[in-house]
């Protein structure tokens, strides 16, 4: 079996090392010559992992043509790049391939889930199926082989099982799932909730506050996901509450980090002026806010995140207004 990982960032590198550990023929494609040379010559990806030594057999390339002949292609790029990468693959591929999506978010213009973007952008004669490899995971932990469990989610159970078998080992356990809608919405919306968690941390609030945020945030995720066609039980699993917990509580999370900066500053103004990282929760907050408004779905936390990000609302005011909403009984959906 031949696997190509597109994207030499943290998650692409970590997953490629998993495959090396499993004895799979894998190569990482990336645009940065500095990262590619670091992997090939030094067995490191210093930009993301500092002094961590990578598998000695892990190789990387800047030649996109190396994807030809792949049985599995892993897309480990930001959501905004998925469509253009698939269009590029249409000019290179020569057979049906399983496309593994690792991105968590929505198309910035059409608001499509990533599996839908891939199926639309990639010629069907080259696509066996889309499998989303998603769940509670940080590359920084997987690359040093910490115990991690995620999901291979697809409407094609056969290909999901192939991905499960290809990636699973004694430190990375893969479950399969078929609720593509619920799983992809869960791992996307939690990024917006994680921004809020970071904001609260930056404002100086503690565990009580963030526990309340995650609990009510889970309700919003579930409400939105079910309205979009996902299954309620999915949000109680790894791609729902699991991913929500890890992203809302870990300093590895870019969404948490960005929120923390906003909270400390009090508004998003400095974030917009200085941020250079991909923070998926920002685009997700906008997409979910707009879609929920159209469908009449109540999502007060996401609404407040949107106001802080895009209407320059004071972060502390937002937190206070959420607490002063009309008193009511707890409704768990």
């Amino acid at each position: 079996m031949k696997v190509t990982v597109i994207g030499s960032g943290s998650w692409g590198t970590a997953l490629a090392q998993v495959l090396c550990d499993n004895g799979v023929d894998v190569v990482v494609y990336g645009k940065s010559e500095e990262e590619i040379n670091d992997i090939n010559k030094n067995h490191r990806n210093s930009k993301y992992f500092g002094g961590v030594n990578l598998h000695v057999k892990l190789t990387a390339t800047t030649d996109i043509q190396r994807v030809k002949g792949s049985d599995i292609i892993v897309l480990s790029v930001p959501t905004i790049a998925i469509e253009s990468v698939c269009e590029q693959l249409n000019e290179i591929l020569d057979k049906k391939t399983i496309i593994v999506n690792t991105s968590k978010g929505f198309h910035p213009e059409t608001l499509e889930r990533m599996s839908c973007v891939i199926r639309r952008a990639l010629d069907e004669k080259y696509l066996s199926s889309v499998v989303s490899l998603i769940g509670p995971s940080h590359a920084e932990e997987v690359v040093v082989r910490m115990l991690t469990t995620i999901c291979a989610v697809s409407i094609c159970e056969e290909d999901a099982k192939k991905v499960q078998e290809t990636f699973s080992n004694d430190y990375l356990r893969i479950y399969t799932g078929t609720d593509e809608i619920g799983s992809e919405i869960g791992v996307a919306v939690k990024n917006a909730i994680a921004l809020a968690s970071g904001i609260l941390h930056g404002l100086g609030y503690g565990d009580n506050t963030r526990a309340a945020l995650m609990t009510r945030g889970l309700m919003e995720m579930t409400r939105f996901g079910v309205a979009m066609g996902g299954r309620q039980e999915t949000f109680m699993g790894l791609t729902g509450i699991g991913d929500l917990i890890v992203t809302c509580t870990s300093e590895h999370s870019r969404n948490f980090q960005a929120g923390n900066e906003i909270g400390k500053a009090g508004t998003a103004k400095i974030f917009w002026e200085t941020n250079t990282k991909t923070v998926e929760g920002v685009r997700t907050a906008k997409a979910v806010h707009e879609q929920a408004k159209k469908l009449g779905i109540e999502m007060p936390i996401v609404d407040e995140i949107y106001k802080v990000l895009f209407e320059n609302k004071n972060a502390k005011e937002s937190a206070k207004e959420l607490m002063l909403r009309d008193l009511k009984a707890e409704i768990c959906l």
Side-chain angles (χ1 to χ4, degrees):
M1 176 178 286
K2 177 183 176 182
V3 180
T4 302
V5 176
I6 296 181
S8 58
S10 57
W11 193 222
T13 302
L15 287 176
Q17 177 168 263
V18 169
L19 295 173
C20 278
D21 285 346
N22 293 357
V24 176
D25 177 13
V26 59
V27 65
V28 176
Y29 163 77
K31 291 182 178 180
S32 169
E33 288 194 14
E34 183 179 351
E35 291 169 19
I36 300 308
N37 289 335
D38 198 16
I39 293 170
N40 288 333
K41 294 178 181 178
N42 306 318
H43 307 300
R44 290 185 174 183
N45 194 334
S46 304
K47 179 178 178 181
Y48 300 99
F49 301 127
V52 174
N53 292 318
L54 301 173
H55 197 293
V56 293
K57 291 186 178 179
L58 180 58
T59 59
T61 182
T62 56
D63 181 9
I64 189 66
Q65 295 294 327
R66 291 278 296 276
V67 304
K68 191 173 290 185
S70 297
D71 301 293
I72 295 176
I73 294 175
V74 179
L75 299 184
S76 187
V77 298
T79 54
I80 199 168
I82 291 287
E83 186 173 10
S84 60
V85 169
C86 288
E87 289 169 352
Q88 193 174 7
L89 290 176
N90 284 329
E91 306 300 318
I92 301 169
L93 295 181
D94 53 3
K95 68 172 189 176
K96 281 190 179 290
T97 305
I98 298 172
I99 301 295
V100 173
N101 162 60
T102 68
S103 295
K104 301 174 177 180
F106 303 99
H107 188 284
E109 295 173 1
T110 66
L111 307 185
E112 295 166 286
R113 291 178 289 105
M114 287 299 101
S115 59
C116 297
V117 173
I118 294 167
R119 280 193 285 266
R120 172 174 58 77
L122 192 65
D123 194 314
E124 63 180 12
K125 66 186 176 186
Y126 302 132
L127 181 62
S128 174
S129 69
V130 181
V131 180
S132 288
L133 193 58
I134 47 181
S137 51
H138 289 305
E140 294 86 351
E141 296 185 3
V142 172
V143 79
V144 293
R145 301 175 177 87
M146 288 190 182
L147 303 181
T148 303
T149 303
I150 55 177
C151 292
V153 182
S154 180
I155 56 177
C156 177
E157 291 186 69
E158 182 182 350
D159 282 353
K161 287 178 182 176
K162 285 180 185 176
V163 171
Q164 177 187 46
E165 292 165 1
T166 302
F167 283 86
S168 291
N169 57 28
D170 61 356
Y171 64 87
L172 182 63
R173 180 176 176 81
I174 314 293
Y175 287 91
T176 60
T178 57
D179 184 10
E180 183 182 88
I181 296 173
S183 291
E184 289 187 42
I185 286 175
V187 299
V189 177
K190 59 86 189 177
N191 283 331
I193 306 300
L195 268 172
S197 180
I199 289 171
L200 292 175
H201 187 268
L203 287 169
Y205 291 112
D207 296 341
N208 293 355
T209 316
R210 288 165 64 204
L213 173 85
M214 285 187 280
T215 305
R216 298 312 304 169
L218 176 61
M219 295 306 105
E220 290 193 20
M221 282 170 52
T222 307
R223 192 182 299 132
F224 183 78
V226 170
M228 297 295 289
R231 298 198 293 266
Q232 184 174 346
E233 61 268 25
T234 297
F235 296 89
M236 296 300 108
L238 291 167
T239 57
I241 191 171
D243 213 3
L244 179 70
I245 291 169
V246 78
T247 314
C248 283
T249 60
S250 174
E251 293 185 5
H252 289 314
S253 164
R254 288 184 181 183
N255 294 286
F256 179 87
Q257 292 169 5
N260 189 49
E261 291 173 14
I262 292 169
K264 285 180 178 178
T267 72
K269 185 174 184 293
I270 295 174
F271 168 78
W272 286 117
E273 291 172 351
T274 61
N275 180 64
T276 58
K277 297 178 181 178
T278 299
V279 182
E280 294 288 4
V282 172
R283 284 193 289 268
T284 297
K286 187 174 188 292
V288 173
H289 169 78
E290 291 173 355
Q291 187 70 7
K293 197 171 180 182
K294 285 180 187 175
L295 298 175
I297 303 169
E298 186 181 22
M299 300 190 73
I301 295 172
V302 171
D303 289 346
E304 290 300 325
I305 299 166
Y306 176 86
K307 290 173 185 175
V308 170
L309 289 171
F310 298 103
E311 297 178 357
N312 200 36
K313 186 171 181 178
N314 180 276
K316 195 151 196 169
E317 263 182 47
S318 259
K320 187 176 180 181
E321 286 188 22
L322 282 171
M323 292 299 290
L324 293 176
R325 294 177 73 237
D326 291 344
L327 299 177
K328 59 180 72 175
E330 182 181 28
I331 300 172
C332 293
L333 182 58

